[in-house]
Amino acid sequence: AQSVTQLGSHVSVSEGALVLLRCNYSSSVPPYLFWYVQYPNQGLQLLLKYTSAATLVKGINGFEAEFKKSETSFHLTKPSAHMSDAAEYFCAVSPYSGAGSYQLTFGKGTKLSVIP
Amino acid sequence: ETGVTQSPTHLIKTRGQQVTLRCSSQSGHNTVSWYQQALGQGPQFIFQYYREEENGRGNFPPRFSGLQFPNYSSELNVNALELDDSALYLCASNADRGTDTQYFGPGTRLTVL
């Protein structure tokens, strides 16, 4: 069984400040981890994914995340927030047994607000 | 643009009715997954189809069923609608089993009255 906990349902940062969105996971098998972004009235867009290669993963729009097995964490960061980063962010985990594609378990999401 | 489209955009039904939601994927996307996103929650995995066969199912009752067609389209059917079925329904597709990114459609907003 797998689960994801996102700490903080709402995070506010000033434009230009560091963005840090927290994600902790629980998984009984080696996990594959993802961060998605959702803009209002839109579907989900993949920011980045960890699939057991490098532990520091770089994604689109300047985001990156670091897989820390000892802490069971996969926090998302961006050095400098931009107004266009305001959206809801979801962390997700999936097993991959080789039998099929990713079947994602999502956290409840963190809404990011960027203050001018 | 993800190349995944869903129809309709919005839908209103009454309790007890049946509904069919549709998803159209990119050519070559043999895997399609459906998710339910209740208001203020993260998406929940409903089921996945690979080459027209069910390839995994989440914790949803049998009144949620699906079909996948050879033309890269798929359907989610929900029978005996309940108020709690009100949600955004998302489909996601990818080209190969486990090796490609899942691309999400914009979703169908279902309201059950």
Side-chain angles (χ1 to χ4, degrees):
Chain A
Q2 298 164 84
S3 65
V4 171
T5 302
Q6 291 185 240
L7 299 176
S9 59
H10 196 168
V11 170
S12 292
V13 299
S14 298
E15 191 174 15
L18 171 72
V19 175
L20 171 61
L21 304 181
R22 300 178 186 274
C23 172
N24 288 89
Y25 69 91
S26 171
S27 176
S28 56
V29 297
Y32 290 77
L33 293 157
F34 307 78
W35 275 99
Y36 282 86
V37 61
Q38 187 176 36
Y39 296 98
N41 301 315
Q42 293 188 27
L44 299 167
Q45 181 184 11
L46 180 68
L47 284 176
L48 49 81
K49 62 182 177 183
Y50 166 77
T51 56
S52 75
T55 56
L56 182 62
V57 182
K58 295 187 183 296
I60 62 171
N61 301 338
F63 285 95
E64 64 180 37
E66 186 172 8
F67 172 67
K68 292 187 177 180
K69 185 177 179 180
S70 61
E71 299 177 8
T72 61
S73 69
F74 190 57
H75 302 330
L76 182 71
T77 60
K78 181 175 181 178
S80 177
H82 191 272
M83 296 298 295
S84 61
D85 295 327
E88 189 144 26
Y89 292 79
F90 293 94
C91 181
V93 63
S94 175
Y96 180 59
S97 65
S101 184
Y102 302 120
Q103 297 173 3
L104 302 169
T105 299
F106 286 87
K108 292 187 176 182
T110 298
K111 186 173 182 180
L112 176 67
S113 298
V114 182
I115 304 164
Chain B
E1 281 297 322
T2 64
V4 180
T5 59
Q6 293 186 244
S7 62
T9 305
H10 296 87
L11 198 54
I12 299 174
K13 291 285 189 178
T14 56
R15 194 169 48 182
Q17 284 188 312
Q18 179 266 341
V19 69
T20 296
L21 310 182
R22 293 179 173 84
C23 173
S24 179
S25 306
Q26 294 183 40
S27 177
H29 280 203
N30 296 311
T31 301
V32 65
S33 306
W34 285 89
Y35 294 84
Q36 180 196 66
Q37 186 178 16
L39 201 61
Q41 301 293 317
Q44 280 194 283
F45 174 71
I46 303 174
F47 46 56
Q48 184 179 87
Y49 279 79
Y50 175 69
R51 294 189 185 271
E52 303 164 49
E53 293 201 0
E54 190 175 291
N55 185 48
R57 188 178 183 91
N59 189 26
F60 280 81
R63 61 189 184 85
F64 285 78
S65 63
L67 286 171
Q68 186 186 24
F69 303 102
N71 66 351
Y72 307 107
S73 66
S74 59
E75 291 180 354
L76 164 65
N77 299 288
V78 187
N79 293 323
L81 283 167
E82 301 177 0
L83 297 179
D84 286 348
D85 295 334
S86 295
L88 180 68
Y89 288 86
L90 298 163
C91 76
S93 69
N94 57 280
D96 199 359
R97 301 174 83 175
T99 64
D100 195 10
T101 299
Q102 285 189 344
Y103 294 93
F104 280 81
T108 292
R109 174 75 61 189
L110 173 64
T111 302
V112 182
L113 302 176

